[in-house]
């Protein structure tokens, strides 16, 4: 009864906090809609190349253009000025233009994953076009397709991003909704005011934890719903696995917040500490992009931090319909962080 | 309602850099308003928080309503009311919600509307806490200290930072508490507040109780119950030479000289004559009764307000 009252009051006050509501519920959706839409084509089912239109197309150009289509490239033919403008905006991964009697292919150094694959296809098309012009037999080519590892999604960026956001939500819930709030309660004396009443402190904390848990569930449900309605993203794995891994992550990052709050005296101090943890985790753990091109030592370090293995397992289930069984090592890392944080929280947590 | 509400013996608490409470003995009787008067840093809050069970003492014995923290902590919590030096609530909780919520923590509780009446917050009952004035927030904190119908109420600097009118309305609430038969222990660094509200006082300085008694007895125990003041335009001059001539202690305080005396009638002619012949450029003469301020000054050589 006391617990229910405490829990209900947390929700009532939370609903009045517009800023927290925005960051918790709306912001992840905005990110998903925004990035999911912007990068819709970039990682789409087809690799694409921008073809700068030749001023006076000869038979060679016609043959090459046909071959580009035959190797399954998406070709966007643009006049020179338009193509250049698009290139300088950074939207083009690969741009093919006539250069004297031959051709030139420019690859965007920021989009090497798409550009590299596209380059391979363009060269295949060129060999094919030459053979056709010469009347010699066409070279055999190996067909290329772009797919998600589990063959379930068509490599949609939104599908990659959504599990990343689910994980990021857990981290910010732990670090900010739990850790930051506890530091400010301690700093402002809210814990002390409670301590002079007969309310057992564990009821207060449990009410808070239950509230954060339900917030997390609602938050995840909203993201999943938007992902499904707008981008057609569905959970490819079992919902039991999804639930288990989300529970593990929630426990781990909530313990993180409790532990970290024991290391700061003031809200300002806590903001510094938590951002020091939050930003590297967010940027390096594969929330928004993979770290394939980072140095090996960094990839190893990130693989030992809690978020990256969590996201790897989450994506294996959610995107690729895999089971958790194959991710024992990664899940063990997450669980170990969670247990270490919990032990630290028990030692360091202070009411005053 | 007779007997002891609070009995404290040999209370001591040292922080790394300072001994905040240094051997304090106190007795508070049931039904009285007891004040701890002292300047900032005297150890009032630390003393109160030890009694309230928020801070553990290094040494000393405390008996609250006949109970001890070690044996009956939960019962003590249920029977006391506490207003901390600063009460922090959620910005967007309303007084009604706060009173309902805190009331729900106790086995015995007063109705929310009765409490809102008591502290005159009916009109603001459904306004967010952050929109209340300082005085209204302080009255809410008082009401929160009363949700459990407590026998013993602790108020830490209940009027600090309030304007005079808000202070008066808070004093009324404290008087009401006494009329309802509650025991009240409050801290303050305002001597007028101590005089106006408290049945008995302990004056604290540097962690020690330097005097205890009723406000009237503390003042009359001073051998010098009156003070003659000479006021100047601008800062008062250095009084040493004049004090020697008058053969009487003279204190300089900003724009006036204070001359404590047991017998102002005898002092006055001598004083005026001496001032005349020394050409002291004073503007006015006042004679006033000594106050708790003078008691503190006399005992410590310092002013309360410093
Ligand atoms: N938590 C603490 N840590 C260290 N010193 C403290 C702490 N609390 C109070 N003090 C010191 O103890 C002394 C008494 O403080 P306090 O009880 O707050 O005085 P008062 O309430 O009379 O102003 C002061 O010197 C203060 O700096
Ligand atoms: Mg104080």
């Amino acid at each position: 009864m006391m617990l229910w009252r405490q829990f209900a009051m947390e929700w009532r006050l939370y609903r009045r906090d517009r800023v927290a509501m925005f960051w918790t519920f709306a912001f992840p959706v905005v990110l998903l809609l925004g990035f999911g839409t912007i990068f819709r084509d970039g990682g789409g089912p087809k690799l694409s190349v921008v073809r700068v239109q030749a001023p006076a197309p000869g038979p060679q150009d016609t043959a090459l253009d046909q071959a580009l289509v035959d190797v399954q490239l998406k070709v966007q033919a643009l006049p020179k000025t338009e193509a250049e403008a698009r290139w300088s905006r950074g939207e083009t991964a690969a741009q093919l233009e006539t250069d004297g009697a031959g051709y030139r292919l420019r690859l965007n150094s920021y989009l090497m994953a798409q550009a590299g694959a596209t380059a391979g296809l363009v060269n295949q098309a060129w060999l094919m076009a030459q053979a056709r012009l010469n009347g010699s037999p066409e070279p055999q080519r190996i067909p290329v397709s772009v797919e998600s590892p589990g063959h379930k999604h068509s490599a949609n960026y939104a599908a990659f991003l959504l599990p990343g956001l689910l994980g990021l939500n857990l981290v910010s819930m732990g670090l900010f909704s739990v850790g930051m709030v506890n530091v400010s309660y301690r700093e402002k004396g809210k814990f002390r005011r409670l301590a002079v009443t007969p309310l057992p402190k564990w009821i207060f904390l449990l009410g808070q934890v239950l509230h954060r848990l339900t917030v997390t569930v609602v938050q995840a449900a909203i993201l999943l719903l938007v992902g499904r309605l707008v981008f057609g993203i569905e959970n490819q794995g079992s919902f039991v696995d999804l639930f288990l891994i989300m529970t593990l992550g929630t426990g781990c990052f909530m313990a993180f917040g409790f532990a970290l709050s024991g290391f700061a005296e003031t809200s300002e101090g806590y903001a510094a500490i938590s951002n020091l943890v939050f930003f590297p985790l967010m940027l390096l753990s594969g929330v928004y992009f993979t770290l394939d091109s980072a140095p090996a030592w960094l990839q190893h370090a990130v693989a030992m931090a809690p978020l990256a293995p969590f996201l790897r397992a989450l994506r294996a289930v959610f995107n690729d319909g895999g089971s958790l069984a194959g991710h024992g090592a990664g899940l063990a890392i997450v669980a170990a962080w969670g247990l270490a944080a919990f032990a630290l929280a028990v030692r360091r947590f202070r009411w005053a | 309602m007779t007997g002891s509400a609070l009995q404290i013996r040999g209370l001591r608490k040292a922080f790394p850099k300072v001994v905040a409470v240094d051997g304090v003995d106190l007795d508070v009787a049931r039904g009285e308003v007891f004040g701890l008067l002292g300047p900032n840093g005297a150890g009032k809050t630390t003393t109160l928080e030890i009694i309230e069970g928020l801070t553990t003492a290094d040494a000393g014995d405390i008996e609250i309503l006949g109970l001890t923290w070690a044996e009956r902590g939960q019962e003590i919590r249920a029977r006391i009311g506490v207003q901390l030096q600063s009460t922090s609530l959620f910005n967007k909780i309303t007084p009604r919600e706060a009173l309902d919520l805190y009331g729900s923590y106790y086995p015995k509780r007063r109705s929310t509307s009765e409490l809102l009446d008591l502290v005159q917050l009916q009109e603001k009952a459904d306004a967010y806490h952050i929109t209340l004035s300082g005085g209204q927030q302080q009255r809410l904190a008082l009401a929160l200290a009363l949700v459990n119908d407590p026998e013993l109420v602790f108020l830490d600097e209940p009027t600090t930072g309030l304007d005079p009118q808000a202070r008066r309305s808070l004093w009324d609430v404290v008087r009401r508490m006494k009329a309802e038969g509650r025991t009240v222990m409050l801290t303050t660094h305002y001597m007028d507040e101590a005089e106006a509200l408290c049945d008995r006082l302990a004056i604290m300085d540097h962690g020690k109780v330097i005097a205890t008694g009723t406000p009237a007895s503390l003042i009359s125990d001073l051998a010098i119950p009156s003070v003659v003041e000479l006021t100047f335009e601008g800062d008062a001059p250095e009084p040493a030479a004049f004090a020697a001539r008058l053969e009487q202690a003279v204190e300089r305080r900003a724009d006036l000289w204070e001359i404590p005396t047991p017998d102002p009638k005898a002092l006055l002619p001598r004083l005026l004559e001496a001032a005349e012949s020394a050409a002291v450029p004073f503007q006015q003469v006042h004679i006033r009764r000594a106050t708790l301020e003078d008691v503190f000054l006399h005992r410590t050589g310092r002013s309360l307000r410093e």
Side-chain angles (χ1 to χ4, degrees), chain B residues 37 78 212 226 261:
Chain B
L37 174 69
T212 321
S226 300
T261 173

Side-chain angles (χ1 to χ4, degrees), chain A residues 61-85:
Chain A
D61 293 312
T62 320
L64 178 57
D65 287 349
Q66 180 56 46
L68 288 173
V69 174
D70 291 345
V71 297
Q72 305 274 303
L73 268 173
K74 182 175 161 192
V75 180
Q76 286 177 278
L78 294 174
K80 175 122 183 110
T81 46
E82 244 174 84
E84 285 301 327

Side-chain angles (χ1 to χ4, degrees), chain B residues 116-300:
Chain B
L116 287 168
D117 278 343
L118 178 72
V119 297
Q120 299 175 3
L121 276 178
Q122 307 90 333
E123 284 126 70
K124 290 285 181 179
D126 298 308
Y128 287 155
H129 183 251
I130 195 171
T131 65
L132 303 182
S133 72
Q136 289 165 338
Q137 290 188 356
Q138 204 71 342
R139 291 212 299 276
L140 175 59
L142 268 191
L144 283 172
L146 296 173
V147 280
N148 57 331
D149 196 13
E151 293 160 52
L152 174 57
V153 187
F154 297 96
L155 310 174
D156 197 354
E157 309 236 351
T159 65
T160 296
L162 300 185
D163 60 55
Q165 198 191 338
R167 288 181 69 202
R168 297 272 159 184
S169 89
L170 236 90
W171 289 4
D172 287 341
V173 180
V174 174
R175 292 194 179 108
R176 199 95 45 87
M177 291 181 194
K178 179 181 158 68
E180 290 166 344
R182 293 174 219 287
T183 310
V184 179
M185 181 168 184
L186 60 85
T187 76
T188 181
H189 61 256
Y190 299 119
M191 52 121 189
D192 59 334
E193 182 161 291
E195 250 187 287
L197 283 182
C198 299
D199 299 317
R200 287 196 314 126
L201 295 172
I203 301 182
M204 272 191 91
D205 191 38
H206 293 314
K208 293 195 165 74
V209 172
I210 55 177
T212 321
T214 65
S217 72
L218 284 169
I219 293 166
S220 63
D221 283 357
L222 277 181
I224 35 179
S226 300
V227 178
V228 178
E229 289 178 353
L230 297 188
T231 57
F232 295 85
E233 206 170 77
D235 283 352
E238 176 54 45
F242 185 72
R245 177 184 202 125
L246 193 65
E247 295 172 334
Q248 185 90 32
V250 179
E251 305 266 356
R252 184 171 64 164
R253 309 266 308 262
D255 65 340
L256 52 81
W257 285 353
E258 284 185 348
I259 307 158
T261 173
D263 188 357
K265 199 170 146 195
L267 173 66
L268 214 50
R270 284 202 299 125
L271 175 66
L272 292 177
E273 193 185 295
E276 178 98 350
S277 56
V280 175
F282 70 94
Q283 300 277 311
Q284 285 180 346
V285 185
H286 296 280
I287 305 171
R288 63 170 174 81
R289 192 172 67 91
T291 63
L292 290 171
E293 179 78 45
D294 299 299
V295 175
F296 189 81
L297 188 70
H298 183 72
R299 302 254 182 181
T300 67

Side-chain angles (χ1 to χ4, degrees), chain B residues 15-16 18 20 39-47 85 156-157:
Chain B
F15 291 113
V18 63
N40 276 330
K44 306 182 296 293
T45 296
T46 309
T47 304
Q85 189 161 340
D156 197 354
E157 309 236 351

